[in-house]
């Protein structure tokens, strides 16, 4: 289960938090929103080196002018946040994003009531990996077809809209349909219902409609072990991780081919960028020597799920 908590490594002490999302009821006034937006716009225009890399300057300026024109009346916090997140996503920079507040991770763990399922995307479809309720009705492997009457494809398109990624790359955007990010982005950008009306397809191919309560992520996480329908999937999911994030292999079913897997670019045990670079360089030198020795003709470099680098 430790692997499922990697998203929450920097949480604040859980017991110190309120159990409600105060941002959900906050109403922002025009002057405050205009001030915040003006500051954000100035930061982008004066400091971002790639502001106009994918969107011409005239078009980006028009986007910002249009957004500024919407801030003349009171607005719920999450609507304002949605507008700002859309603008930042239009910069198309994987290292530029906006978050609701500094304590968003802790809020997600204990305050935000979200969809109690761990979802896994496969070929633009969404499948239940873990059931975070105590109701055994929905089992791992069921396909999620709709939430509150909205087809999963429409939901996918909306969440893609607000996810930050370099250029037009969609690989990283797919992560927004997985696990914690899926339920978090749904809460931020689609809605915060108390109950989810779900339509799923069972393993037998039947269509099933059922309701599930919105609950905090940590509550659902604890239910993964309690709900017996998850037992087999947990056993598969929590198999021992590879010893190192960098791995070179030579598939036996594909002749003269090398497969290089890079889970991340950080040097294991490194305490500085220079040291990390040296460790990675040493690994690559050894790998290239092996590739040359085997007279490899094709090299597959797999960086799936790597957030940057």
């Amino acid at each position: 289960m430790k692997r499922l908590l990697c998203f929450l490594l920097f949480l604040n002490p859980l017991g110190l938090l309120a159990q409600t999302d105060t941002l959900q009821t906050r109403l922002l006034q025009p002057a405050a929103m205009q001030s915040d937006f003006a500051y954000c716009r100035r930061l982008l225009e004066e400091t971002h080196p790639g502001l106009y890399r994918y969107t011409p300057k005239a078009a980006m300026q028009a986007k910002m002018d249009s957004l500024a024109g919407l801030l003349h009346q009171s607005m719920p916090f999450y609507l304002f946040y949605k507008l700002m997140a859309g603008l930042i996503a239009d910069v198309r920079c994987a290292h530029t994003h906006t978050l609701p507040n500094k304590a968003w991770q802790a809020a997600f763990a204990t305050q935000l009531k979200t969809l109690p399922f761990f979802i896994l995307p496969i070929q633009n479809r969404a499948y239940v990996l873990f059931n975070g309720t105590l109701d055994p009705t929905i089992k791992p492997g069921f396909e999620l077809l709709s939430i509150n009457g909205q087809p999963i494809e429409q939901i996918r398109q909306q969440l893609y809209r607000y996810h930050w990624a370099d250029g037009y790359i969609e690989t990283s955007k797919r992560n927004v349909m997985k696990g914690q990010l899926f339920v978090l982005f749904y809460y931020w950008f689609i809605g915060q219902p108390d109950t989810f009306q779900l339509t799923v397809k069972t393993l037998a191919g039947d269509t099933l409609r059922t309701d599930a309560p919105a609950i905090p992520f940590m509550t659902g996480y604890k239910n993964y072990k309690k709900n017996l329908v998850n037992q087999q999937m947990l056993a598969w999911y929590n198999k021992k991780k590879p010893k190192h994030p960098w791995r070179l292999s030579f598939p036996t079913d594909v002749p003269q081919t090398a497969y290089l897997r890079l889970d991340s670019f950080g040097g294991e045990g490194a305490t500085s960028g220079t040291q990390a670079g040296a460790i990675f360089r040493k690994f690559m030198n050894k790998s290239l020597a092996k590739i040359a020795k085997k007279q490899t003709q094709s090299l597959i470099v797999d960086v799936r799920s790597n957030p940057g680098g």
Side-chain angles (χ1 to χ4, degrees), residues 169-193:
I169 297 174
E170 290 199 4
T171 307
S172 62
K173 284 182 177 288
R174 292 172 190 161
N175 287 330
V176 81
M177 294 296 292
K178 178 182 178 181
Q180 298 98 323
L181 274 183
F182 176 71
V183 300
L184 180 62
F185 269 54
Y186 188 100
Y187 184 96
W188 281 349
F189 302 119
I190 295 182
Q192 303 98 28

mmCIF file of all heavy atoms in Angstrom, residues 169-193:
data_model
loop_
_atom_site.group_PDB
_atom_site.id
_atom_site.type_symbol
_atom_site.label_atom_id
_atom_site.label_comp_id
_atom_site.label_asym_id
_atom_site.label_seq_id
_atom_site.Cartn_x
_atom_site.Cartn_y
_atom_site.Cartn_z
ATOM 1 N N ILE A 169 1.733 17.552 -26.121
ATOM 2 C CA ILE A 169 1.948 16.177 -25.675
ATOM 3 C C ILE A 169 0.759 15.721 -24.828
ATOM 4 O O ILE A 169 0.335 16.418 -23.903
ATOM 5 C CB ILE A 169 3.246 16.079 -24.850
ATOM 6 C CG1 ILE A 169 4.444 16.441 -25.722
ATOM 7 C CG2 ILE A 169 3.408 14.681 -24.269
ATOM 8 C CD1 ILE A 169 5.752 16.515 -24.963
ATOM 9 N N GLU A 170 0.220 14.551 -25.137
ATOM 10 C CA GLU A 170 -0.918 14.039 -24.390
ATOM 11 C C GLU A 170 -0.535 12.930 -23.419
ATOM 12 O O GLU A 170 -1.343 12.533 -22.585
ATOM 13 C CB GLU A 170 -1.999 13.524 -25.352
ATOM 14 C CG GLU A 170 -2.699 14.627 -26.124
ATOM 15 C CD GLU A 170 -4.029 14.183 -26.702
ATOM 16 O OE1 GLU A 170 -4.435 13.035 -26.424
ATOM 17 O OE2 GLU A 170 -4.656 14.974 -27.409
ATOM 18 N N THR A 171 0.696 12.427 -23.526
ATOM 19 C CA THR A 171 1.098 11.318 -22.667
ATOM 20 C C THR A 171 0.947 11.660 -21.195
ATOM 21 O O THR A 171 0.367 10.896 -20.420
ATOM 22 C CB THR A 171 2.560 10.929 -22.953
ATOM 23 O OG1 THR A 171 2.720 10.693 -24.350
ATOM 24 C CG2 THR A 171 2.928 9.664 -22.208
ATOM 25 N N SER A 172 1.476 12.814 -20.791
ATOM 26 C CA SER A 172 1.380 13.192 -19.384
ATOM 27 C C SER A 172 -0.052 13.537 -18.987
ATOM 28 O O SER A 172 -0.445 13.372 -17.824
ATOM 29 C CB SER A 172 2.302 14.370 -19.082
ATOM 30 O OG SER A 172 1.934 15.509 -19.833
ATOM 31 N N LYS A 173 -0.830 14.029 -19.938
ATOM 32 C CA LYS A 173 -2.219 14.374 -19.632
ATOM 33 C C LYS A 173 -3.020 13.134 -19.229
ATOM 34 O O LYS A 173 -3.992 13.225 -18.483
ATOM 35 C CB LYS A 173 -2.880 15.059 -20.835
ATOM 36 C CG LYS A 173 -2.457 16.514 -21.037
ATOM 37 C CD LYS A 173 -3.192 17.117 -22.205
ATOM 38 C CE LYS A 173 -2.857 18.594 -22.385
ATOM 39 N NZ LYS A 173 -3.468 19.430 -21.343
ATOM 40 N N ARG A 174 -2.612 11.974 -19.741
ATOM 41 C CA ARG A 174 -3.349 10.752 -19.408
ATOM 42 C C ARG A 174 -3.306 10.455 -17.921
ATOM 43 O O ARG A 174 -4.198 9.786 -17.392
ATOM 44 C CB ARG A 174 -2.777 9.576 -20.200
ATOM 45 C CG ARG A 174 -3.034 9.681 -21.696
ATOM 46 C CD ARG A 174 -2.303 8.611 -22.469
ATOM 47 N NE ARG A 174 -2.379 8.877 -23.910
ATOM 48 C CZ ARG A 174 -1.574 8.363 -24.815
ATOM 49 N NH1 ARG A 174 -0.607 7.543 -24.435
ATOM 50 N NH2 ARG A 174 -1.711 8.655 -26.086
ATOM 51 N N ASN A 175 -2.267 10.947 -17.242
ATOM 52 C CA ASN A 175 -2.177 10.714 -15.805
ATOM 53 C C ASN A 175 -3.303 11.380 -15.037
ATOM 54 O O ASN A 175 -3.600 10.993 -13.903
ATOM 55 C CB ASN A 175 -0.831 11.212 -15.276
ATOM 56 C CG ASN A 175 0.311 10.305 -15.677
ATOM 57 O OD1 ASN A 175 0.129 9.101 -15.837
ATOM 58 N ND2 ASN A 175 1.493 10.868 -15.849
ATOM 59 N N VAL A 176 -3.930 12.401 -15.637
ATOM 60 C CA VAL A 176 -5.009 13.088 -14.945
ATOM 61 C C VAL A 176 -6.254 12.200 -14.859
ATOM 62 O O VAL A 176 -7.176 12.491 -14.106
ATOM 63 C CB VAL A 176 -5.352 14.418 -15.658
ATOM 64 C CG1 VAL A 176 -6.242 14.186 -16.866
ATOM 65 C CG2 VAL A 176 -6.023 15.397 -14.702
ATOM 66 N N MET A 177 -6.263 11.106 -15.600
ATOM 67 C CA MET A 177 -7.381 10.165 -15.540
ATOM 68 C C MET A 177 -7.073 9.005 -14.601
ATOM 69 O O MET A 177 -7.831 8.035 -14.539
ATOM 70 C CB MET A 177 -7.677 9.626 -16.938
ATOM 71 C CG MET A 177 -8.194 10.658 -17.911
ATOM 72 S SD MET A 177 -9.794 11.357 -17.433
ATOM 73 C CE MET A 177 -10.868 9.934 -17.646
ATOM 74 N N LYS A 178 -5.977 9.096 -13.868
ATOM 75 C CA LYS A 178 -5.542 7.976 -13.034
ATOM 76 C C LYS A 178 -5.562 8.330 -11.555
ATOM 77 O O LYS A 178 -5.108 9.394 -11.149
ATOM 78 C CB LYS A 178 -4.123 7.556 -13.433
ATOM 79 C CG LYS A 178 -3.545 6.420 -12.606
ATOM 80 C CD LYS A 178 -2.127 6.101 -13.050
ATOM 81 C CE LYS A 178 -1.505 4.998 -12.214
ATOM 82 N NZ LYS A 178 -0.117 4.691 -12.626
ATOM 83 N N GLY A 179 -6.071 7.425 -10.757
ATOM 84 C CA GLY A 179 -5.934 7.487 -9.312
ATOM 85 C C GLY A 179 -6.319 8.793 -8.664
ATOM 86 O O GLY A 179 -7.393 9.358 -8.899
ATOM 87 N N GLN A 180 -5.395 9.308 -7.837
ATOM 88 C CA GLN A 180 -5.681 10.504 -7.054
ATOM 89 C C GLN A 180 -5.911 11.728 -7.923
ATOM 90 O O GLN A 180 -6.763 12.567 -7.618
ATOM 91 C CB GLN A 180 -4.524 10.774 -6.076
ATOM 92 C CG GLN A 180 -4.312 9.666 -5.056
ATOM 93 C CD GLN A 180 -3.202 8.721 -5.486
ATOM 94 O OE1 GLN A 180 -3.056 8.424 -6.666
ATOM 95 N NE2 GLN A 180 -2.440 8.224 -4.529
ATOM 96 N N LEU A 181 -5.135 11.870 -9.002
ATOM 97 C CA LEU A 181 -5.301 13.047 -9.856
ATOM 98 C C LEU A 181 -6.695 13.097 -10.471
ATOM 99 O O LEU A 181 -7.279 14.166 -10.612
ATOM 100 C CB LEU A 181 -4.245 13.059 -10.960
ATOM 101 C CG LEU A 181 -2.896 13.684 -10.620
ATOM 102 C CD1 LEU A 181 -1.991 13.669 -11.840
ATOM 103 C CD2 LEU A 181 -3.058 15.110 -10.107
ATOM 104 N N PHE A 182 -7.226 11.958 -10.845
ATOM 105 C CA PHE A 182 -8.553 11.948 -11.462
ATOM 106 C C PHE A 182 -9.608 12.503 -10.513
ATOM 107 O O PHE A 182 -10.376 13.402 -10.877
ATOM 108 C CB PHE A 182 -8.925 10.530 -11.885
ATOM 109 C CG PHE A 182 -10.322 10.416 -12.433
ATOM 110 C CD1 PHE A 182 -10.632 10.943 -13.673
ATOM 111 C CD2 PHE A 182 -11.326 9.799 -11.703
ATOM 112 C CE1 PHE A 182 -11.927 10.853 -14.186
ATOM 113 C CE2 PHE A 182 -12.616 9.700 -12.203
ATOM 114 C CZ PHE A 182 -12.911 10.232 -13.447
ATOM 115 N N VAL A 183 -9.645 11.987 -9.293
ATOM 116 C CA VAL A 183 -10.695 12.437 -8.368
ATOM 117 C C VAL A 183 -10.444 13.875 -7.928
ATOM 118 O O VAL A 183 -11.389 14.636 -7.682
ATOM 119 C CB VAL A 183 -10.809 11.487 -7.158
ATOM 120 C CG1 VAL A 183 -11.159 10.088 -7.619
ATOM 121 C CG2 VAL A 183 -9.534 11.461 -6.327
ATOM 122 N N LEU A 184 -9.170 14.269 -7.828
ATOM 123 C CA LEU A 184 -8.839 15.638 -7.427
ATOM 124 C C LEU A 184 -9.236 16.634 -8.510
ATOM 125 O O LEU A 184 -9.860 17.668 -8.227
ATOM 126 C CB LEU A 184 -7.347 15.749 -7.143
ATOM 127 C CG LEU A 184 -6.827 17.116 -6.709
ATOM 128 C CD1 LEU A 184 -7.478 17.543 -5.395
ATOM 129 C CD2 LEU A 184 -5.312 17.091 -6.559
ATOM 130 N N PHE A 185 -8.877 16.350 -9.761
ATOM 131 C CA PHE A 185 -9.233 17.246 -10.855
ATOM 132 C C PHE A 185 -10.738 17.289 -11.070
ATOM 133 O O PHE A 185 -11.284 18.334 -11.425
ATOM 134 C CB PHE A 185 -8.518 16.827 -12.141
ATOM 135 C CG PHE A 185 -7.190 17.503 -12.338
ATOM 136 C CD1 PHE A 185 -6.217 17.454 -11.347
ATOM 137 C CD2 PHE A 185 -6.908 18.196 -13.496
ATOM 138 C CE1 PHE A 185 -5.004 18.091 -11.513
ATOM 139 C CE2 PHE A 185 -5.696 18.839 -13.677
ATOM 140 C CZ PHE A 185 -4.734 18.787 -12.683
ATOM 141 N N TYR A 186 -11.415 16.172 -10.854
ATOM 142 C CA TYR A 186 -12.876 16.177 -10.961
ATOM 143 C C TYR A 186 -13.454 17.162 -9.938
ATOM 144 O O TYR A 186 -14.345 17.957 -10.255
ATOM 145 C CB TYR A 186 -13.445 14.773 -10.731
ATOM 146 C CG TYR A 186 -14.934 14.679 -11.020
ATOM 147 C CD1 TYR A 186 -15.389 14.157 -12.231
ATOM 148 C CD2 TYR A 186 -15.881 15.115 -10.090
ATOM 149 C CE1 TYR A 186 -16.753 14.077 -12.501
ATOM 150 C CE2 TYR A 186 -17.234 15.046 -10.354
ATOM 151 C CZ TYR A 186 -17.668 14.521 -11.565
ATOM 152 O OH TYR A 186 -19.022 14.470 -11.832
ATOM 153 N N TYR A 187 -12.944 17.120 -8.727
ATOM 154 C CA TYR A 187 -13.417 18.007 -7.667
ATOM 155 C C TYR A 187 -13.140 19.461 -8.018
ATOM 156 O O TYR A 187 -14.010 20.330 -7.870
ATOM 157 C CB TYR A 187 -12.724 17.633 -6.360
ATOM 158 C CG TYR A 187 -13.195 18.411 -5.154
ATOM 159 C CD1 TYR A 187 -14.166 17.883 -4.309
ATOM 160 C CD2 TYR A 187 -12.654 19.656 -4.835
ATOM 161 C CE1 TYR A 187 -14.598 18.590 -3.185
ATOM 162 C CE2 TYR A 187 -13.079 20.364 -3.725
ATOM 163 C CZ TYR A 187 -14.052 19.831 -2.902
ATOM 164 O OH TYR A 187 -14.480 20.539 -1.802
ATOM 165 N N TRP A 188 -11.937 19.747 -8.481
ATOM 166 C CA TRP A 188 -11.554 21.123 -8.778
ATOM 167 C C TRP A 188 -12.305 21.708 -9.965
ATOM 168 O O TRP A 188 -12.721 22.865 -9.943
ATOM 169 C CB TRP A 188 -10.057 21.191 -9.060
ATOM 170 C CG TRP A 188 -9.171 21.180 -7.858
ATOM 171 C CD1 TRP A 188 -9.545 21.328 -6.547
ATOM 172 C CD2 TRP A 188 -7.755 20.997 -7.846
ATOM 173 N NE1 TRP A 188 -8.449 21.251 -5.720
ATOM 174 C CE2 TRP A 188 -7.333 21.058 -6.494
ATOM 175 C CE3 TRP A 188 -6.799 20.796 -8.849
ATOM 176 C CZ2 TRP A 188 -5.996 20.925 -6.128
ATOM 177 C CZ3 TRP A 188 -5.464 20.655 -8.469
ATOM 178 C CH2 TRP A 188 -5.069 20.721 -7.126
ATOM 179 N N PHE A 189 -12.458 20.937 -11.029
ATOM 180 C CA PHE A 189 -12.871 21.506 -12.304
ATOM 181 C C PHE A 189 -14.239 21.058 -12.821
ATOM 182 O O PHE A 189 -14.735 21.622 -13.794
ATOM 183 C CB PHE A 189 -11.811 21.209 -13.368
ATOM 184 C CG PHE A 189 -10.452 21.738 -13.001
ATOM 185 C CD1 PHE A 189 -9.373 20.887 -12.851
ATOM 186 C CD2 PHE A 189 -10.257 23.089 -12.780
ATOM 187 C CE1 PHE A 189 -8.120 21.369 -12.505
ATOM 188 C CE2 PHE A 189 -9.013 23.591 -12.427
ATOM 189 C CZ PHE A 189 -7.942 22.722 -12.292
ATOM 190 N N ILE A 190 -14.853 20.060 -12.186
ATOM 191 C CA ILE A 190 -16.178 19.640 -12.653
ATOM 192 C C ILE A 190 -17.234 19.845 -11.582
ATOM 193 O O ILE A 190 -18.269 20.465 -11.820
ATOM 194 C CB ILE A 190 -16.148 18.171 -13.124
ATOM 195 C CG1 ILE A 190 -15.246 18.047 -14.363
ATOM 196 C CG2 ILE A 190 -17.562 17.685 -13.459
ATOM 197 C CD1 ILE A 190 -15.172 16.658 -14.942
ATOM 198 N N GLY A 191 -16.997 19.351 -10.382
ATOM 199 C CA GLY A 191 -18.002 19.559 -9.346
ATOM 200 C C GLY A 191 -17.662 18.858 -8.047
ATOM 201 O O GLY A 191 -16.749 18.028 -7.978
ATOM 202 N N GLN A 192 -18.411 19.215 -6.998
ATOM 203 C CA GLN A 192 -18.196 18.646 -5.666
ATOM 204 C C GLN A 192 -19.494 18.056 -5.124
ATOM 205 O O GLN A 192 -20.031 18.513 -4.113
ATOM 206 C CB GLN A 192 -17.669 19.722 -4.714
ATOM 207 C CG GLN A 192 -16.394 20.409 -5.151
ATOM 208 C CD GLN A 192 -16.620 21.749 -5.838
ATOM 209 O OE1 GLN A 192 -17.603 22.427 -5.585
ATOM 210 N NE2 GLN A 192 -15.713 22.115 -6.732
ATOM 211 N N PRO A 193 -20.033 17.040 -5.771
ATOM 212 C CA PRO A 193 -21.294 16.449 -5.312
ATOM 213 C C PRO A 193 -21.103 15.654 -4.023
ATOM 214 O O PRO A 193 -20.002 15.177 -3.728
ATOM 215 C CB PRO A 193 -21.682 15.523 -6.468
ATOM 216 C CG PRO A 193 -20.373 15.116 -7.067
ATOM 217 C CD PRO A 193 -19.501 16.348 -6.970
#
